[in-house]
Amino acid sequence: SGQCHYESLDWRGCRYLALHFHDLSGPVTVKAVRFVEMVYPFENRGDFRCSDATLTRLWRICRDTAHAAIKDHPTDCGREQALWVSDLDVHLRAITACFGAVQPMVKAMRQVFRVMHDDGVVPVPGPVGIGYGRTEQELPWSGPPLEIAIILRDIYWYNNDPELVRMALRK
């Protein structure tokens, strides 16, 4: 009996919420459910509209998903909340189309170069290396050099700043 409060210590992402109650001896009254949203402060700059309402809505759902997946850098999902190098090019294309900004991507690539091993392997899920030592288990998941080069090229196309390329060459 009495009031109960719950706040998750991890980031959670959701579109729908289901509350399940069990083994109760009396009625339950839900007075409030609140979400604390933490996302990058983008401005919506891109949009898509067409005569097919489903396609228009689908594009907006994708935009909202891209927005929800960027904290101070891109994360892959609410479950891992990790930055995967292999996802960065897709994130880059999505956020530049929707928001016209590359700052979270620049931060992500700086993180990649800070943790990259001398032989070019990036710890995974990266760049944090959660639970992975420098073993054969890590190598198949490392960020491929060509993918990193494509991401750098695309960031440069958007912001015309060669600093990340210089950082990569120093690595």
Side-chain angles (χ1 to χ4, degrees):
S1 66
Q3 291 189 2
C4 178
H5 301 273
Y6 172 77
E7 183 174 341
S8 173
L9 297 177
D10 295 324
W11 293 336
R12 302 285 183 202
C14 72
R15 183 171 308 255
Y16 305 101
L17 175 70
L19 300 174
H20 297 273
F21 302 95
H22 54 86
D23 299 328
L24 300 173
S25 59
V28 171
T29 302
V30 176
K31 294 183 179 181
V33 175
R34 296 181 183 92
F35 288 95
V36 177
E37 184 177 49
M38 186 201 151
V39 294
Y40 192 83
F42 288 121
E43 295 178 27
N44 289 338
R45 294 185 183 162
D47 200 6
F48 172 83
R49 294 182 190 139
C50 72
S51 59
D52 185 332
T54 301
L55 290 177
T56 300
R57 181 70 185 129
L58 181 61
W59 191 92
R60 291 188 178 147
I61 288 170
C62 291
R63 178 194 61 203
D64 294 347
T65 300
H67 193 191
I70 308 283
K71 307 306 181 204
D72 60 342
H73 66 263
T75 60
D76 67 330
C77 64
R79 179 176 54 87
E80 290 174 328
Q81 303 169 17
L83 190 162
W84 288 86
V85 174
S86 57
D87 294 344
L88 290 180
D89 199 38
V90 174
H91 281 293
L92 174 65
R93 291 168 193 268
I95 67 170
T96 53
C98 297
F99 312 112
V102 296
Q103 295 87 344
M105 301 306 300
V106 170
K107 180 184 184 291
M109 290 307 295
R110 285 185 178 142
Q111 287 176 244
V112 167
F113 293 130
R114 285 187 182 119
V115 301
M116 182 183 284
H117 296 293
D118 290 338
D119 62 0
V121 173
V122 177
V124 295
V128 292
I130 298 172
Y132 290 94
R134 183 54 192 257
T135 66
E136 293 300 315
Q137 181 183 19
E138 182 180 39
L139 295 177
W141 292 97
S142 63
L146 180 58
E147 194 165 41
I148 291 173
I150 291 169
I151 295 165
L152 290 174
R153 177 203 64 192
D154 290 352
I155 289 173
Y156 179 75
W157 282 350
Y158 289 112
N159 71 1
N160 295 315
D161 183 354
E163 181 53 36
L164 280 179
V165 175
R166 287 189 191 110
M167 186 180 246
L169 293 174
R170 287 191 298 263
K171 200 58 185 158

